[in-house]
């Protein structure tokens, strides 16, 4: 059963990432993630980040491994948001979770079961362990290209908000 496989992968990911006080991780029949008996919507901002990452990866990984219909790639934007790297810090989650665990899992999975998959991650501060996989680094300095991802956002006249 597909939901069972996704559910198992979701639980496994949260365990690998040392999700604090992990209990009752599950994906319901509507594909909504839960933990500790509550929907992910009830979790703190940092916890929601991790639950969403585990949810997205579980669905994508199972789809790839079973050759199910899926988009050709998975794009993840700001996996460290609310974990102490940009955005609001969630101290309980940020202190308990190493983003390295996320990247270790992904690196290992892509080298094995996900060898035919493509994952694009946009991250302001990827850990050193994935440095060799970084394709583009933006400077955040308009005088040192590349500055930012979206051209019109980096060159637009501030007086003209087009």
């Amino acid at each position: 059963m597909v939901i069972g496989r996704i559910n198992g992968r979701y639980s496994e990911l949260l365990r690998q990432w040392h999700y604090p006080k992990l209990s009752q991780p599950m994906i319901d029949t509507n594909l909504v993630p839960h933990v500790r008996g509550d929907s992910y919507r009830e979790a703190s901002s940092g916890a929601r980040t991790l639950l969403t990452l585990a949810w997205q990866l579980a669905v994508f990984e199972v789809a790839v491994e079973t050759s199910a219909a899926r988009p050709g790639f998975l794009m993840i934007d700001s996996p460290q948001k609310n974990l102490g790297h940009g955005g609001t810090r969630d101290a309980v989650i940020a202190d308990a979770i190493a983003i390295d665990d996320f990247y270790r899992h992904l690196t290992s999975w892509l080298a094995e079961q996900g060898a035919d998959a493509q994952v694009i991650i946009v991250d302001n501060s990827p850990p050193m362990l994935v440095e060799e996989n970084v394709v583009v680094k933006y400077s955040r300095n308009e005088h040192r290209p590349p500055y930012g991802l979206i051209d019109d956002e980096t060159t637009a006249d501030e007086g003209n908000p087009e």
Side-chain angles (χ1 to χ4, degrees):
M1 175 177 184
V2 174
I3 297 288
R5 287 188 73 168
I6 293 170
N7 196 4
R9 182 64 54 89
Y10 172 74
S11 299
E12 176 186 325
L13 288 170
L14 292 175
R15 279 186 192 82
Q16 283 180 9
W17 300 347
H18 306 100
Y19 189 92
K21 301 177 186 171
L22 182 62
S23 69
Q24 301 174 314
M26 64 158 294
I27 303 288
D28 69 21
T29 55
N30 293 319
L31 294 177
V32 175
H34 295 258
V35 70
R36 300 181 193 150
D38 291 321
S39 163
Y40 78 107
R41 294 178 191 102
E42 304 301 318
S44 67
S45 60
R48 268 194 317 273
T49 296
L50 291 171
L51 297 173
T52 301
L53 285 171
W55 175 29
Q56 291 170 333
L57 283 177
V59 171
F60 186 72
E61 290 178 7
V62 168
V64 167
E65 292 169 13
T66 60
S67 300
R70 66 187 182 282
F73 67 94
L74 175 65
M75 182 172 182
I76 298 173
D77 186 12
S78 305
Q80 298 188 62
K81 184 175 179 161
N82 300 322
L83 299 176
H85 297 271
T88 306
R89 181 180 172 89
D90 183 328
V92 173
I93 296 297
D95 292 342
I97 302 297
I99 197 68
D100 288 4
D101 292 334
F102 162 77
Y103 278 104
R104 271 189 205 95
H105 164 78
L106 200 51
T107 301
S108 174
W109 182 79
L110 286 166
E112 297 169 9
Q113 304 99 310
D116 294 330
Q118 182 176 14
V119 178
I120 300 167
I121 300 176
V122 179
D123 192 343
N124 289 332
S125 54
M128 289 303 297
L129 71 100
V130 293
E131 185 67 28
E132 69 185 41
N133 298 314
V134 174
V135 176
V136 177
K137 249 187 200 176
Y138 295 98
S139 70
R140 297 184 180 176
N141 179 337
E142 63 185 312
H143 303 294
R144 206 178 57 209
Y147 168 62
L149 179 62
I150 304 171
D151 288 339
D152 67 341
E153 289 297 318
T154 61
T155 59
D157 183 282
E158 288 185 22
N160 185 5
E162 291 181 42

